[in-house]
Amino acid sequence: MSTFRFPPSITSRPVYGTLAPRPGKAHLMIADAEGAEALLDLAAADPELFANAHVIFIPKGTGDRFTEPLKAANPSILHVGPSYAASVPRIRRVLSDAHMGLQVYLAGTEGLMGQAMNEATAAGIPHSAIQTEHRGSVARRMQCVHCKGITEDVMTDPFVCAHCGLTLFVRDHYSRRHAAFQGVCIDAEDPGNIPDPVELYS
Amino acid sequence: MSAGTEKIDVTVTDIVKLNDLVTRFKFERSDGGQLPTFSGGAHTVVEMQDDGITRLNPYSLMSDPMDQSAYTISVRRDDEGRGGSLFMHNRVKTGDRMVISYPVNLFSLDLRARKHLMIAGGIGITPFLAQIKQLDRLSGRFELHYACRSAALGSYVDELTANHPNAVHVYYDDQKQAIDLQRLLTGQPLGTHVYVCGPKGMIEWVRKTSAALGWPEEAVHYEEFLAPQSGKPFQVRLAKSGITVDVGEHESLLEAIERAGIDAPYLCRGGACGQCETDVIESDGTFVHRDHWLEDEDRASGCKIMPCVSRFEGRTLVLDR
Ligand code: FES
C-alpha cells in the first residue's frame, strides 16, 4: 500500500485527503507515480466519472506498471508524460479551456500536488475546492530560503541545497506560492557542525 | 455590543418614489462631513423611532461605494411586514434626522474571481448596484441577470441597461421570461463566482443548481435578510443582567432585550451573520429557530439561539446575557 500517515504538524503544513467522486461536467486528474493507485480507487468508486476525465499521469520511476490499468479505466483522455514540467503546458491549456464545474483531483507526491494546485488556483479554482491524496514517496520539494533555489525530491534531513551548497534543515513550514517546504541553513551559527542526514520520517 | 455598528447621524436629503413598491432615500451626514467609503454589497442598519418602538432594519447600500457625500438605499414596501418599511414609506420626510450604522458587508465581491455572475430577484438588485459601480472602477468583468415581476416594477432596469447594455439581462415574470439557470451556470469560464440576492426560493435554486453542476461552494455567494416575524409573546430571563423581559407579539427577542436597556451584540439583524448568537442556560418549551446560522446540532442541543430572528414558545427561557 502506498499510503503514509503524516504525523500532526504546524498549520502551515498541507494536509491531504482521500479522493472522492464529485458532481461535475468535466474532471481533470493529475497524478505521479503511486498517485495512479488513488485514481484507480476513484475509478472503482465511480466508473462513470472517467467518461469525462482528462488524466495526466507522470510515471516517475514506476515504469509502465500503471499505464494499462489507467487505460482500462477508460478516461476520455489519458496523457502519460515524461515529467511534471513537460506536462505544464497541457495542464494550462486544459484549465484555460475549462468551465465552472470542472473538478480537479491531484494524487501522488507532495511536489506534484503542490505545483498542480498552483496552476489550478491561478486559473481561478479556490484551493479548498481542489481534492488531493498523497500516495507514494514522502520526498519533498524544498526551497532554500537563502539562495531561493528549489531542490526536488529531498529524502533526508538535513540535505545539501542543489544550488548554493549550504546544508539545509528540512522544515514543515510550507509555501503554497512556491509549492515547496522551506530549508534553512543548519550550521549557520556553528559552521561545520552538521548532524548526519536522517531519512525523512524514518 | 453592536460590534461594527458605530452610529452616524444623518439627514434625509432626497426621497424618490420609483414605482408602486419601491422608494429611494438619500442620507447625508448631518454635520456636513464625509461618510465612510464602503465595499459593494454592504448594508447599513437604519434606526426608526416609531411611536416609542425603536426599529432597526438593515438595507443594502446602493450608491457608489467611493462616494462619501451621501448614501442611498431603496426600500420595498412590505404591507405584511412588522412596519419598518411602512414607516420608511409613510413617515420619513425630506429633512428628517435619522441614525444609521456604519456600513457592514456580509455580501462582498470576491476580487479573486475572474468574472462575477450576479443573479438578482426584485429588490435584491440593490447590493448589485453598488457592486457594479465598484467593478466599473476596477474594470471587473460581470454579468447581471435580473428577474422582476413586471416592467412597471423593474427598479433601476433603465439605468442598468443603458449603462451596461451587454452585461445586463432582464427577465419579466409577467411576460413568462425566466433565467435559464442550468445553461447559464454551465457556460461560465473557470474562476467565475456567482452571487445571488433575492427571495429565499431563488437563493435555494441557485445554491442547489450550482452544487449539482459541481460549482465549489466557495464560489457561490448569497444574501438574504430575514425580517423578524411576529409570534406568540413569551418571557425571557437574562441571567447575567439579572432581569426578566417580556417579548411582545410584534417584536423580536433582540429588540425586547434592547428595549430593556441591554446592549446585545448584532450585525445583520437578519439571521445571517452569527454575531447575535446567545447561549441558552435553561429552557422548557420549543424554539422557533429561523436563522441561517446555527448548525443542526446546535438546534437539536437547545443550547443556542439567534435572538435577531428566532423566538421561543413555552414556559421558561433563561439566556446567558
Ligand atoms: S444579528 Fe446577524 S444573525 Fe443575528
Side-chain angles (χ1 to χ4, degrees):
Chain A
M1 196 54 175
S2 56
T3 52
F4 177 78
R5 208 178 259 277
F6 292 102
S9 181
I10 54 172
T11 46
S12 156
R13 198 207 191 299
V15 286
Y16 307 100
T18 305
L19 301 183
R22 284 202 187 147
K25 294 241 150 167
H27 305 268
L28 172 60
M29 304 177 183
I30 308 172
D32 68 355
E34 284 85 359
E37 293 176 1
L39 299 188
L40 295 170
D41 286 354
L42 194 61
D46 185 357
E48 302 278 290
L49 217 57
F50 276 63
N52 296 307
H54 187 143
V55 176
I56 297 173
F57 177 60
I58 298 116
K60 213 182 177 187
T62 57
D64 48 16
R65 163 152 85 96
F66 293 116
T67 317
E68 280 311 315
L70 283 172
K71 257 190 208 150
N74 236 337
S76 132
I77 300 173
L78 171 64
H79 174 81
V80 179
S83 67
Y84 176 76
S87 66
V88 169
R90 171 176 287 265
I91 293 172
R92 292 197 178 147
R93 211 217 52 234
V94 174
L95 289 168
S96 70
D97 290 348
H99 290 95
M100 283 305 281
L102 173 79
Q103 301 298 341
V104 177
Y105 308 79
L106 309 176
T109 62
E110 298 201 73
L112 170 111
M113 291 190 285
Q115 293 175 87
M117 170 87 78
N118 261 355
E119 296 297 334
T121 51
I125 306 179
H127 74 93
S128 42
I130 299 164
Q131 294 196 70
T132 55
E133 180 168 343
H134 177 267
R135 290 288 183 118
S137 168
V138 295
R140 294 190 185 189
R141 180 175 146 91
M142 298 293 305
Q143 187 201 37
C144 170
V145 304
H146 310 283
C147 79
K148 308 298 175 196
I150 298 274
T151 307
E152 300 280 355
D153 298 321
V154 170
M155 272 309 289
T156 64
D157 177 21
F159 73 101
V160 176
C161 172
H163 300 259
C164 70
L166 284 176
T167 305
L168 305 177
F169 161 55
V170 172
R171 295 200 58 209
D172 270 358
H173 180 183
Y174 184 78
S175 161
R176 212 144 64 196
R177 189 163 58 98
H178 294 110
F181 289 94
Q182 307 295 286
V184 186
C185 181
I186 200 160
D187 60 339
E189 265 144 49
D190 188 5
N193 183 2
I194 297 170
D196 288 339
V198 181
E199 192 163 317
L200 291 175
Y201 299 111
S202 63
Chain B
M1 189 191 4
S2 8
T5 47
E6 215 175 313
K7 303 295 162 63
I8 310 172
D9 293 310
V10 293
T11 304
V12 180
T13 54
D14 197 19
I15 300 179
V16 179
K17 189 170 157 61
L18 290 175
N19 52 44
D20 270 358
L21 287 177
V22 179
T23 298
R24 183 173 68 222
F25 298 85
K26 183 174 181 182
F27 300 123
E28 292 178 46
R29 269 184 97 111
S30 301
D31 64 9
Q34 292 205 310
L35 290 159
T37 54
F38 58 97
S39 50
H43 69 264
T44 182
V45 175
V46 178
E47 278 190 31
M48 304 167 206
Q49 300 303 335
D50 188 0
D51 293 332
I53 303 173
T54 305
R55 298 185 189 283
L56 295 163
N57 282 20
Y59 292 105
S60 296
L61 294 167
M62 51 166 280
S63 40
D64 182 343
M66 294 305 281
D67 179 1
Q68 295 184 260
S69 67
Y71 287 164
T72 52
I73 61 169
S74 289
V75 179
R76 181 189 188 278
R77 199 184 71 225
D78 180 1
D79 296 320
E80 255 90 77
R82 294 180 319 144
S85 67
L86 289 174
F87 178 88
M88 291 301 292
H89 275 254
N90 302 337
R91 308 275 294 277
V92 174
K93 301 279 169 287
T94 308
D96 283 1
R97 297 275 202 121
M98 295 188 87
V99 175
I100 64 172
S101 75
Y102 265 57
V104 171
N105 201 343
L106 300 172
F107 188 54
S108 54
L109 293 168
D110 187 329
L111 294 174
R112 293 168 298 185
R114 296 299 182 74
K115 176 181 172 186
H116 305 274
L117 175 67
M118 303 166 173
I119 300 179
I123 193 64
I125 190 64
T126 52
F128 294 123
L129 295 168
Q131 290 183 338
I132 289 171
K133 287 171 192 129
Q134 180 181 348
L135 287 175
D136 271 348
R137 273 216 168 71
L138 303 170
S139 307
R141 188 171 161 209
F142 77 94
E143 202 176 295
L144 168 73
H145 296 261
Y146 176 20
C148 352
R149 272 204 228 161
S150 62
L153 290 174
S155 310
Y156 305 108
V157 163
D158 294 346
E159 165 187 328
L160 284 163
T161 47
N163 293 340
H164 307 280
N166 300 318
V168 172
H169 308 264
V170 182
Y171 307 77
Y172 294 118
D173 295 349
D174 68 345
Q175 295 176 33
K176 301 262 178 295
Q177 297 168 338
I179 299 173
D180 185 350
L181 189 59
Q182 192 84 15
R183 210 171 118 190
L184 186 60
L185 291 176
T186 308
Q188 296 303 323
L190 211 57
T192 304
H193 282 234
V194 64
Y195 305 78
V196 52
C197 186
K200 194 182 183 74
M202 179 182 233
I203 294 174
E204 282 305 303
W205 178 52
V206 173
R207 290 181 66 195
K208 284 220 180 84
T209 314
S210 59
L213 290 170
W215 282 59
E217 60 181 38
E218 295 88 338
V220 182
H221 311 267
Y222 54 93
E223 176 157 84
E224 181 201 5
F225 287 126
L226 296 168
Q229 273 179 11
S230 308
K232 289 191 195 130
F234 60 100
Q235 217 177 43
V236 57
R237 173 143 189 87
L238 306 176
K240 273 207 206 110
S241 321
I243 54 169
T244 300
V245 180
D246 288 308
V247 183
E249 196 180 339
H250 297 298
E251 70 183 339
S252 69
L253 175 53
L254 177 62
E255 287 163 350
I257 295 172
E258 289 170 336
R259 181 170 49 73
I262 310 295
D263 195 5
Y266 72 84
L267 263 184
C268 70
R269 306 184 77 89
C273 74
Q275 192 74 22
C276 69
E277 185 177 303
T278 306
D279 289 328
V280 175
I281 297 177
E282 199 191 321
S283 67
D284 175 10
T286 341
F287 290 93
V288 185
H289 291 294
R290 295 193 53 249
D291 61 276
H292 291 310
W293 178 259
L294 291 178
E295 304 288 342
D296 290 343
E297 307 93 80
D298 293 332
R299 292 186 186 180
S301 75
C303 291
K304 297 205 181 292
I305 188 166
M306 309 304 287
C308 62
V309 289
S310 299
R311 304 183 70 88
F312 181 78
E313 286 174 9
R315 294 231 316 258
T316 329
L317 178 64
V318 184
L319 297 182
D320 186 23
R321 178 67 64 212

